[in-house]
């Protein structure tokens, strides 16, 4: 006869409920209270900057199929030869430092959700761009607009995510040339957190701006930042007309752009960390300088997405040491330049939310946190090298993001944090479980994971022997069941829907 199973009350659930009650105001972003991890010394950073300036001066950057961009850069002092633009040493840095803000506020339609991007702050956003979604019930499938709405709702309900993100998944059930309208509307309708705009064509960027004007007012949009959008360099060392066109729309409307080289080292950049970060800095400098030429003072973020590839298969790899080294150095370079920095997230190559996914994602999340990332895109949901958005993975990553937020706040050195009264009360040879200090702090003394199981083996068996993925499956379904939309002025909603209907009727459906 086996040992009887111990019965325990729902201590973890009760503690989580108490934590929720104690958090009357959820932080709109994380205020950093710990030092940055400084990987390089001054001389090493200066060498990388010198090499990047050499790339800009001798090799140059291609600005493709955009005569206006070439004209603007030439007028600013660059040397234009066809589509190749070469920048005199120091020109990009001087243009950026002259007008790019060190930080900026992105306004949300709920002012309590406004985020400050830059300085000693971290803003976390979900994954971006996957055409597939995955859950335990249905496996891997193409994403739909319903999935898109689901992830906007889950992000809205997740306290650890401060930003609604952009293309949280690609709704392939809608026409390519019109789906951006539904995506932007979903961010506005189902969340009141700040959001990202469309960049797949300049016209779609303009649609985003026009929809934002309906929500915030035209004058407010011209004077404040309400959209942050992702502009990828077409690495190596080129920008295409699509990204340049979208960037111009946002810059001219005073909206923020994340200028982000997309690097897979070994294929799109040198295999060495120093070589890769040199190229990243050169590409980012050129893109950020271009934004300042278009509209001086337009908010800009130094972004990077850097990973490596398997030299055997050519597939991207994540969570390995070399991209972490690149990220640490790029963050230091952004601070020296005086602009916000974007990178990081829960990146992994795993197809499912397994141990590989957990290890690789934890590595990239921790690196981003320690490096000092200001805008952490791809924080939650990323699977399969960015091809899939995982429902269970989203919940697991959001839990990790909440832990990172606690770590970034640092050590509490208040009178309560020093706990001298507890040490005096308990003294040698006793325990702290019943002392007044413990009783006063037990509800929120330690972070309580939403998915980890710390019960006894017997209790775990009794509750179904569930793994973390299974528990996450239950959580996201319950969140969607409990979801309540934030208030949206009916007149604003009506105006948005009328705009969308007018735009959709103006041209036929296309899947390109």
């Amino acid at each position: 006869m086996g040992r009887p199973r111990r019965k325990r009350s729902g201590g973890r659930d009760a503690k989580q409920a108490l934590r929720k009650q104690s958090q009357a105001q959820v932080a709109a972003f994380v205020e950093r209270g710990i030092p940055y991890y400084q990987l390089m010394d001054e001389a090493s950073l200066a060498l990388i900057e010198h090499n990047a300036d050499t790339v800009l001066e001798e090799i140059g950057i291609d600005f493709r199929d955009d005569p206006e961009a070439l004209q603007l850069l030439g007028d600013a002092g660059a040397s234009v030869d066809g589509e190749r633009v070469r920048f005199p040493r120091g020109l990009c840095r001087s243009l950026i430092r002259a007008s790019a803000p060190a930080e900026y506020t992105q306004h949300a339609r709920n002012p309590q959700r406004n985020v400050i991007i830059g300085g000693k702050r971290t803003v976390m956003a979900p994954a971006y761009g996957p055409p597939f979604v995955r859950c335990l019930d249905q496996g891997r499938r193409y994403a739909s607009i319903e999935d898109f709405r689901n992830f906007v709702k889950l992000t809205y309900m997740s306290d650890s995510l401060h930003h609604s993100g952009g293309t949280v998944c690609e709704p392939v059930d809608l026409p390519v040339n019109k789906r951006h309208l539904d995506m932007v509307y979903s961010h506005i309708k189902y969340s009141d957190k700040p959001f990202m705009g469309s960049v797949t064509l300049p016209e779609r960027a303009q649609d985003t701006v026009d929809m934002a004007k309906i929500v915030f007012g035209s004058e407010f949009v011209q004077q404040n930042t309400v959209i942050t959008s992702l502009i990828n360099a077409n690495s190596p060392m080129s920008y295409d007309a699509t990204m340049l066109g979208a960037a111009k729309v946002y810059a001219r409307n005073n909206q923020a752009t994340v200028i982000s080289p997309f690097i897979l080292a070994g294929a799109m950049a040198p295999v060495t960390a120093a070589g890769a970060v040199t190229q990243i800095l050169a590409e980012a400098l050129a893109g950020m300088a271009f934004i300042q030429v278009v509209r001086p003072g337009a908010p800009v973020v130094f972004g990077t997405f850097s990973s490596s590839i398997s030299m055997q298969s050519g597939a991207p790899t994540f969570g390995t040491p070399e991209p972490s080294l690149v990220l640490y150095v790029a963050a230091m370079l952004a601070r020296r330049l005086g602009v916000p920095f974007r990178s990081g997230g829960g990146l992994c190559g795993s197809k499912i939310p397994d141990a590989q996914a957990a290890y690789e994602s934890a590595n990239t999340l921790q690196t981003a946190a320690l490096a000092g990332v200001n805008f952490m895109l791809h924080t939650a949901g990323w699977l399969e090298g960015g091809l899939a958005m995982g429902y269970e993975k989203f919940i697991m990553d959001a839990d990790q993001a909440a832990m990172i937020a606690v770590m970034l706040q640092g050590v509490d050195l208040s009178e309560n944090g020093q706990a001298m009264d507890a040490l005096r009360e308990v003294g040698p040879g006793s325990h702290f479980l019943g002392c007044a200090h413990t009783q006063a702090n037990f509800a929120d003394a330690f972070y309580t994971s939403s998915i980890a199981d710390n019960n006894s083996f017997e209790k775990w068996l009794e509750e179904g022997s569930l793994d973390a993925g299974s528990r996450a499956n239950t959580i996201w379904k319950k969140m969607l069941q409990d979801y309540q939309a934030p208030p949206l002025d009916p007149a604003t909603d009506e105006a948005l829907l009328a705009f969308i209907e007018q735009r959709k009727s103006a041209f036929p459906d296309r899947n390109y």
Side-chain angles (χ1 to χ4, degrees):
M1 185 172 179
R3 187 174 57 169
R5 294 174 179 170
R6 287 184 294 170
K7 299 288 185 182
R8 289 190 181 181
S9 63
R12 182 181 63 173
D13 293 339
K15 190 171 180 181
Q16 289 173 351
L18 284 168
R19 282 181 65 88
K20 288 289 185 184
Q21 292 173 14
S22 69
Q23 293 174 340
Q25 286 289 340
V26 176
F29 47 85
V30 180
E31 289 275 9
R32 187 185 191 90
I34 65 174
Y36 302 110
Y37 183 76
Q38 305 279 36
L39 184 72
M40 277 189 172
D41 60 19
E42 169 74 23
S44 300
L45 293 168
L47 175 63
I48 297 295
E49 291 171 338
H50 175 85
N51 290 347
D53 274 345
T54 300
V55 171
L56 291 168
E57 185 178 45
E58 295 182 8
I59 303 170
I61 306 291
D62 282 353
F63 287 75
R64 296 176 178 170
D65 301 317
D66 193 329
E68 183 189 24
L70 298 171
Q71 181 68 49
L72 288 168
L73 291 168
D75 291 345
S79 172
V80 178
D81 180 12
E83 294 185 327
R84 181 70 53 87
V85 179
R86 293 179 175 86
F87 299 86
R89 187 172 294 274
L91 175 63
C92 289
R93 187 169 282 101
S94 66
L95 289 170
I96 295 163
R97 286 178 171 166
S99 58
E103 60 184 49
Y104 66 94
T105 297
Q106 183 181 350
H107 294 264
R109 67 179 183 88
N110 176 359
Q112 293 183 339
R113 304 283 198 179
N114 293 352
V115 297
I116 302 176
I117 298 177
K120 290 190 174 183
R121 304 174 191 90
T122 299
V123 173
M124 301 189 196
Y128 183 111
F132 298 98
V133 295
R134 171 178 284 279
C135 67
L136 289 181
D137 309 277
Q138 297 174 280
R140 182 185 191 260
R141 55 184 170 78
Y142 278 109
S144 67
I145 189 61
E146 181 182 2
D147 292 306
F148 189 97
R149 293 171 185 145
N150 284 345
F151 280 112
V152 170
K153 294 174 182 178
L154 290 170
T155 300
Y156 167 68
M157 298 179 74
S158 299
D159 293 345
S160 60
L161 300 177
H162 315 104
H163 199 285
S164 195
T167 307
V168 289
C169 61
E170 191 75 38
V172 299
D173 56 335
L174 298 179
V176 168
N177 64 331
K178 297 179 180 179
R179 65 179 61 154
H180 66 285
L181 297 163
D182 297 272
M183 290 191 284
V184 173
Y185 176 74
S186 295
H187 282 298
I188 296 170
K189 173 73 173 179
Y190 301 110
S191 176
D192 61 3
K193 294 181 179 181
F195 62 92
M196 303 176 75
S198 177
V199 296
T200 50
L201 275 179
E203 295 85 354
R204 297 169 195 170
Q206 188 61 56
D207 284 338
T208 304
V209 172
D210 291 341
M211 292 175 74
K213 289 179 179 179
I214 293 172
V215 176
F216 295 93
S218 296
E219 185 176 350
F220 188 89
V221 170
Q222 282 298 324
Q223 296 177 0
N224 300 276
T225 299
V226 301
I227 307 163
T228 295
S229 300
L230 178 63
I231 303 297
N232 282 127
N234 190 7
S235 303
M237 294 171 281
S238 62
Y239 286 88
D240 61 38
T242 297
M243 290 288 105
L244 293 171
K248 287 186 290 185
V249 169
Y250 287 121
R252 284 174 173 146
N253 286 278
N254 196 37
Q255 302 309 300
T257 49
V258 181
I259 306 300
S260 195
F262 187 96
I263 297 293
L264 296 178
M268 300 155 70
V271 295
T272 61
V277 79
T278 296
Q279 181 183 316
I280 288 168
L281 179 57
E283 292 177 359
L285 283 169
M288 290 186 287
F290 173 69
I291 295 297
Q292 297 311 302
V293 168
V294 173
R295 176 167 174 166
V300 68
V301 179
F302 180 160
T304 179
F305 179 95
S306 178
S307 189
S308 53
I309 63 168
S310 166
M311 301 309 290
Q312 288 72 43
S313 68
T317 57
F318 300 92
T320 53
E322 294 82 9
S324 289
L325 296 175
V326 170
L327 197 160
Y328 282 128
V329 176
M332 297 180 73
L333 293 167
R335 286 193 291 275
R336 285 163 65 88
L337 188 61
V339 294
F341 181 60
R342 168 260 160 164
S343 193
L347 308 181
C348 68
S350 182
K351 316 305 179 285
I352 59 174
D354 59 3
Q356 178 186 342
Y359 279 122
E360 292 177 352
S361 296
N363 284 344
T364 55
L365 285 166
Q366 292 280 355
T367 295
L370 294 174
V373 168
N374 299 117
F375 186 62
M376 194 185 297
L377 196 56
H378 309 311
T379 301
W382 175 287
L383 278 173
E384 200 181 330
L387 288 176
M389 184 75 163
Y391 279 87
E392 291 79 24
K393 179 66 159 44
F394 179 96
I395 299 300
M396 297 163 77
D397 288 339
D399 184 53
Q400 289 293 308
M403 294 189 197
I404 285 172
V406 174
M407 182 188 73
L408 285 175
Q409 291 167 16
V411 176
D412 175 14
L413 290 177
S414 67
E415 184 176 348
N416 180 69
Q418 293 175 59
M420 292 303 298
D421 53 343
L423 293 164
R424 291 188 179 101
E425 178 185 345
V426 173
S430 187
H431 64 76
F432 289 81
L433 292 175
C435 79
H437 184 271
T438 300
Q439 293 300 306
N441 288 278
F442 84 94
D444 56 4
F446 308 116
Y447 179 81
T448 304
S449 171
S450 62
I451 59 168
D453 184 285
N454 296 303
N455 288 323
S456 68
F457 178 75
E458 292 82 4
K459 183 66 174 175
W460 177 73
L461 286 176
E462 181 182 304
E463 293 181 347
S465 307
L466 301 179
D467 61 13
S470 299
R471 292 189 290 273
N473 179 268
T474 300
I475 291 170
W476 70 257
K477 290 176 180 175
K478 182 67 164 56
M479 289 175 68
L480 291 179
Q481 179 182 323
D482 294 344
Y483 168 81
Q484 294 182 352
L488 177 63
D489 177 63
T492 299
D493 195 16
E494 184 178 341
L496 286 167
L497 292 172
F499 175 83
I500 292 171
E501 182 179 1
Q502 180 269 321
R503 289 292 292 139
K504 286 187 174 181
S505 64
F507 44 88
D509 294 354
R510 293 197 309 267
N511 278 318
Y512 57 91

